């Protein structure tokens, strides 16, 4: 859906083994067929407060500054964060 495409568009930046930046925000930034789905979300409480762990699966296209594209399929992202 549109929200998933917007999330993916802002999601990924990474550098490959040659030092080339690949990003969902470079090139044409088209994300047709991209998907982003949270598959697990857990919260817990410790001495510092509440923390959240989220796991998501995704498919997207990343671009380098020259406009070349690479497709990522069956990607998995794990986030852990807390509100301080």
């Amino acid at each position: 859906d549109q929200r998933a495409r917007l999330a993916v568009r802002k999601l990924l930046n990474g550098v490959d083994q040659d030092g080339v930046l690949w990003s969902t925000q470079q090139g044409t930034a088209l994300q047709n067929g991209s998907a982003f789905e949270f598959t697990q979300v857990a919260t817990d409480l410790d001495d510092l407060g509440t923390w959240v762990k989220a796991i998501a699966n995704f498919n997207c296209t990343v671009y380098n500054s020259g406009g070349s594209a690479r497709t990522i399929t069956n990607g998995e992202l794990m986030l852990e964060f807390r509100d301080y």
Side-chain angles (χ1 to χ4, degrees):
D1 76 7
Q2 181 65 19
R3 289 177 299 175
R5 284 192 296 276
L6 289 172
V8 168
R9 183 171 181 176
K10 297 181 183 278
L11 176 69
L12 287 177
N13 291 307
V15 177
D16 68 14
Q17 67 276 8
D18 297 319
V20 177
L21 175 67
W22 293 87
S23 173
T24 53
Q25 297 176 330
Q26 294 195 116
T28 63
L30 291 176
Q31 293 299 320
N32 296 333
S34 294
F36 186 91
E37 178 184 13
F38 284 100
T39 57
Q40 296 179 32
V41 177
T43 60
D44 205 347
L45 186 63
D46 62 18
D47 292 341
L48 297 174
T50 302
W51 60 267
V52 177
K53 178 179 179 180
I55 297 176
N57 294 325
F58 64 94
N59 300 314
C60 68
T61 304
V62 291
Y63 302 85
N64 67 15
S65 61
S68 295
R70 291 184 179 173
T71 300
I72 298 174
T73 55
N74 299 317
E76 184 175 76
L77 173 71
M78 196 262 307
L79 302 167
E80 290 184 355
F81 56 93
R82 68 172 65 240
D83 185 15
Y84 286 104

